[in-house]
Amino acid sequence: IAYTSLADNELWRCRADGKECLQLTQGFRQTMMPRWSPDGRMIAFMGRGVSGAWRIFVVPADGGVTRLLSSSGQSEGDPDWSPDGNRVVFGEAWTVSAPGGIHILDMHTNQVSMVPESAGYFSPRWSPDGRFLVAFHAGDQYLYLFEFSSGKWRRLAEIPSIYPNWSPDGKY
């Protein structure tokens, strides 16, 4: 289990029985939204240091060096892994003057690309088969689906802004 401790705002991981707890981060003002890599070896998360801006990081699940993944001018959040573990998707903070968007970082090349037409979208989640993303748009109360093959977004459902997750089989 990976979690943020309310006592110290740092990222921790423990076995499901509560044993072998290990503090994974140190010196963060806050950590949130830990996401395990598909192979279980890394954890992506959003964290804030003294600068106050949210950034995306990864840390080995067994402890080690925390790696900053990206450092754009905007705050970044809500990381999620591609099914093959080779990429991390994340949202960039939305403001009226800078609508942000959704970005994908290639873990091997460190290249960051923006998902087409994703300005204003946030909280992305990758489908288990890798064909889709779901995300919210800052301008309304709808959940949207992005299809990689067509490069298009479509509205799915009107719901309050929550953190979406796919079912393991990708049907829901």
Side-chain angles (χ1 to χ4, degrees):
I1 301 167
Y3 63 94
T4 296
S5 168
L6 295 178
D8 60 15
N9 287 318
E10 297 289 353
L11 186 66
W12 289 74
R13 72 103 176 108
C14 290
R15 289 196 174 277
D17 63 7
K19 295 180 181 172
E20 297 183 31
C21 292
L22 178 65
Q23 183 176 346
L24 297 174
T25 61
Q26 197 168 18
F28 282 85
R29 285 181 46 207
Q30 195 169 11
T31 61
M32 292 180 61
M33 306 296 289
R35 307 291 284 190
W36 289 85
S37 64
D39 65 7
R41 296 181 354 187
M42 302 291 285
I43 299 171
F45 66 97
M46 53 190 282
R48 285 195 312 182
V50 292
S51 72
W54 288 102
R55 297 287 181 244
I56 303 301
F57 298 87
V58 293
V59 64
D62 289 331
V65 177
T66 301
R67 176 180 155 203
L68 175 66
L69 289 189
S70 176
S71 58
S72 70
Q74 298 289 325
S75 283
E76 303 156 345
D78 293 331
D80 195 28
W81 294 90
S82 63
D84 62 10
N86 292 326
R87 294 165 289 162
V88 174
V89 64
F90 61 92
E92 193 175 55
W94 182 91
T95 65
V96 174
S97 61
I102 295 178
H103 302 272
I104 296 174
L105 178 128
D106 184 298
M107 294 293 290
H108 300 295
T109 66
N110 290 321
Q111 294 295 320
V112 177
S113 59
M114 188 162 180
V115 173
E117 305 296 321
S118 68
Y121 286 86
F122 65 97
S123 197
R125 294 292 180 265
W126 222 307
S127 66
D129 63 8
R131 296 173 43 216
F132 306 102
L133 293 174
V134 292
F136 288 99
H137 192 275
D140 57 40
Q141 292 285 312
Y142 288 91
L143 182 67
Y144 289 83
L145 181 81
F146 177 79
E147 186 173 11
F148 283 99
S149 65
S150 69
K152 301 289 183 194
W153 290 92
R154 72 177 158 103
R155 190 166 67 184
L156 289 181
E158 183 176 16
I159 54 177
S161 179
I162 57 171
Y163 297 108
N165 278 300
W166 289 89
S167 63
D169 64 5
K171 292 182 181 180
Y172 303 95

